[in-house]
Amino acid sequence: MLRMVGRRALARRPPRPFASDARSGGWTNWAGNVSVARLARAVERPSSEPMLAQLVGSARRARVVGAGHSWSTVAGVDGSDCHVMTLEHMASILGHDLDAMTVTVQPGLHVKDLIAHVDELGWSLPNISAIDTQQVGGVLATSTHGGGVRNPLIPQDWIHSCRLVDGRGDVHELKAGRDEDVLRGVRGGLGTLGVISEVTIQCEPLFHLGVRCVTLSEDELCSEFGRLNYAHDFVTGLWLPHAERAAVYLVDKVVEGCPAHAAAVASAPVDRRALDAWQAGLLERHVFHAFSLYGHENPDRVADLNRIFAEMYWREKTFDGTLKLKDAVVFELPYFLVGAEYGFEADRTDEV
């Protein structure tokens, strides 16, 4: 997983959370780059499967928005005759099965709450992304990915079974293995086959993460990133245009008590402040946020700000250590982040 902050991203305003305006019926996504000024109807908030089925079944067009973390226009609507709904009131943990090692939840539950509950049970999710503020339903509908090519996409890893409300308002029970023809369209289907109203998630025995952070030049990152993805369970690269180097987190699953876990703990520095700072994200997050605000007012200084930030935090190998899965989320995303395809090529042009 390579995360790139676009050339002008630092010059953007800090993000707003998902929001709907009750007076105008408008809607704005997390990043603020997709919005609808006025909807014909107020945003609906069903609190149960029957309410959801009634809304979907009676609507000519329906669009479900999650936590609004996508910067794409997938959740954009023209506002004319579309029922827009959020599942934020369907966010309960419904139960778990100790023998099957599964947890059943509603789709509006935030991933961070799912991770915490699974950890309390002494289990781990097979795969997570680098942020945890999405809703479970959004993760499954958009096929959110984790890091590293060893792991399937999260919907393929997670779904043990689910309940799906189709366009007529009918509810279907689907099970992995038995209903794969349909589930292939549900996983990452953007709601085209219906809305997930309940999902049972497959977990696995508790594991820790052995974490190593290294810095690479742009050329090293381009040549080594593919190999590193095959060599580790999770890989995240953080690169800023103009900075000429990237921070790369190399993460592997380790079971507590196994030789790999003992070796990772032994290699961790006695002074764990660097690891703790990474977990909390205090230094990078707040400094980067301050740089973002300054860059918004002074876009001609973005290149210098990126270089200074990289020099401050990405100079040497940062740390080795271990983390529990619930502590391993990389980002709280306090800044505006936009996907930058062809980012390296754009960085080598003269245009800013």
Side-chain angles (χ1 to χ4, degrees), residues 155-186:
Q156 185 175 341
D157 253 347
W158 281 15
I159 296 180
H160 177 272
S161 61
C162 69
R163 292 172 63 85
L164 184 77
V165 178
D166 69 15
R168 295 186 295 269
D170 297 330
V171 180
H172 305 266
E173 294 191 15
L174 305 172
K175 185 175 177 59
R178 184 190 68 193
D179 302 302
E180 283 300 315
D181 286 348
V182 179
L183 281 174
R184 276 196 291 269
V186 173

Side-chain angles (χ1 to χ4, degrees), residues 101-103 114-115 118 123-129 146-148 150-160 200-209 233-234 252-253 325:
M101 204 175 290
T102 59
V103 175
L114 172 63
I115 293 172
V118 169
W123 304 336
S124 292
L125 293 171
N127 194 2
I128 61 170
S129 67
R150 292 182 181 179
N151 302 289
L153 294 173
I154 285 176
Q156 185 175 341
D157 253 347
W158 281 15
I159 296 180
H160 177 272
T200 297
I201 295 171
Q202 184 65 59
C203 303
E204 61 183 61
L206 180 68
F207 59 81
H208 290 235
L209 296 173
D233 289 323
F234 306 98
D252 292 288
K253 296 179 181 180
L325 189 66

Side-chain angles (χ1 to χ4, degrees), residues 1-3 127 145-151 216 220-237 248-252:
M1 183 196 320
L2 178 60
R3 296 182 175 273
N127 194 2
H145 60 82
V149 296
R150 292 182 181 179
N151 302 289
L216 300 175
E220 290 172 331
L221 183 64
C222 290
S223 62
E224 293 293 313
F225 200 70
R227 181 188 65 80
L228 292 173
N229 263 289
Y230 281 96
H232 299 274
D233 289 323
F234 306 98
V235 178
T236 294
V248 180
Y249 294 95
L250 309 174
V251 185
D252 292 288

Side-chain angles (χ1 to χ4, degrees), residues 41-111:
R41 303 171 179 84
V43 176
E44 304 279 2
R45 290 174 168 80
S47 57
S48 66
E49 184 181 81
M51 290 180 63
L52 175 63
Q54 192 276 327
L55 284 170
V56 173
S58 63
R60 181 174 177 270
R61 297 171 61 225
R63 184 69 57 86
V64 177
V65 294
H69 278 89
S70 176
W71 55 72
S72 75
T73 57
V74 65
V77 294
D78 59 21
S80 58
D81 60 349
C82 186
H83 282 75
V84 178
M85 60 192 76
T86 171
L87 304 182
E88 60 188 23
H89 292 167
M90 294 179 64
S92 297
I93 297 170
L94 302 178
H96 60 267
D97 185 323
L98 293 176
D99 293 329
M101 204 175 290
T102 59
V103 175
T104 300
V105 303
Q106 291 182 310
L109 183 72
H110 286 277
V111 172

